[in-house]
Amino acid sequence: MGQGQKGSSDKEEKKKKRDESPAPEDSHKCRVCRFPLLVALLQLLLGAAVTVVAFLMLAISPSLMARETPHWAGIILCLVSILGLILYCINYHPDERSSIQFIAKLLYFVLCTIGLVISVLVIAFSGHHYSQTGSFRCQQAGEDCVCRLDQEDPIARTFTYDGVSDCEVITGTLTLYFLLQIVLNLLQAVVCAIGAFIMWKHRYQVFFAGLQIGSSSSQWQNV
C-alpha cells in the first residue's frame, strides 16, 4: 500500500514538473528585452517612421505614385507589430500550450516573413528612385516642376511633379526622403528577419526531452 502511494505521488510530481517550463534564464533581465516584445516594439517604431516619411513625401507632390510613397508598407508592419504584442500578452513560451498561441505564433512568423519581403521591395523601389532623382535636371513650368534625366535628349522621359513651386524640393528634399526610406526599411527587414528566425528556432530547434532523473535531483534537458 505504501509503495502504491509512493508510486502515485512520484507520477504526480513528474507530471507537475513536465507541465512546468524551465525557469527562464533571462529572468533577471528587463521585460522589454524579452522576445517578442522588443522585436514588436522595434517593428512598431520603424513602421510608424516609414509611414510618417511616406506621407511627408506625398505632401511634396500629389503626383507621386504609391510605390514612391510606401505608407502601405509602414501600415502593414505596424499591424505585424500589434500581433507580436498580442503574442507577448498571452504568455509566450517556446513550446505551444494552446491552439490560440500556436495560431498566433504561426501568423506572426508568416507576417514577419511577408514584412521582410515588403521591406526588400521598398528598398528596391526607393533605391531606384533615389538614383533617378539624383540625376534629374529640372525646370519650373508654372506651378509644376518638369524633370528629365537628359536635357539634351528630345525623346527622354519626362517626369512632371504637380504643385511643386521649387524644383530644389525634388532634387534635394525628395532625394533625402528616398534615402531615409532605404535606411528605415533596411532596419525593418533586419528586425523582421530576426523575428522570423527566432520563431523558427523556438519551433524547430528547441524541444524538451522530458525529465532527466538523477540520484538526488531532476532537471530539464534541452536537445
Side-chain angles (χ1 to χ4, degrees), residues 148-185:
R148 288 183 179 179
L149 291 173
D150 188 356
Q151 291 285 0
E152 298 179 356
D153 188 355
I155 61 173
R157 185 179 176 184
T158 301
F159 299 86
T160 302
Y161 296 93
D162 301 332
V164 178
S165 58
D166 185 5
C167 289
E168 285 293 330
V169 176
I170 301 299
T171 58
T173 306
L174 186 61
T175 304
L176 179 62
Y177 283 156
F178 281 130
L179 179 61
L180 192 56
Q181 286 286 8
I182 294 172
V183 174
L184 290 175
N185 281 278

Side-chain angles (χ1 to χ4, degrees), residues 83 104-114 195-197 199-200:
L83 179 60
K105 288 172 68 175
L106 179 62
L107 284 176
Y108 189 63
F109 173 79
V110 172
L111 291 177
C112 280
T113 306
I114 294 175
F197 173 75
M199 293 294 294
W200 175 83

Side-chain angles (χ1 to χ4, degrees), residues 10-84:
D10 289 342
K11 290 182 180 178
E12 291 180 358
E13 183 179 356
K14 292 177 183 179
K15 183 178 180 182
K16 182 178 179 182
K17 291 184 178 181
R18 187 179 298 111
D19 292 337
E20 293 177 354
S21 298
E25 297 178 357
D26 58 344
S27 58
H28 62 283
K29 297 181 181 179
C30 62
R31 293 179 64 86
V32 179
C33 301
R34 295 179 183 175
F35 181 81
L37 182 58
L38 179 59
V39 173
L41 288 176
L42 289 175
Q43 287 174 331
L44 182 61
L45 292 175
L46 292 171
V50 169
T51 305
V52 170
V53 173
F55 280 115
L56 290 175
M57 296 169 70
L58 190 60
I60 293 176
S61 174
S63 61
L64 290 171
M65 294 181 291
R67 66 186 182 190
E68 296 175 297
T69 57
H71 53 275
W72 44 271
I75 294 173
I76 292 173
L77 293 169
C78 286
L79 295 177
V80 176
S81 69
I82 292 174
L83 179 60

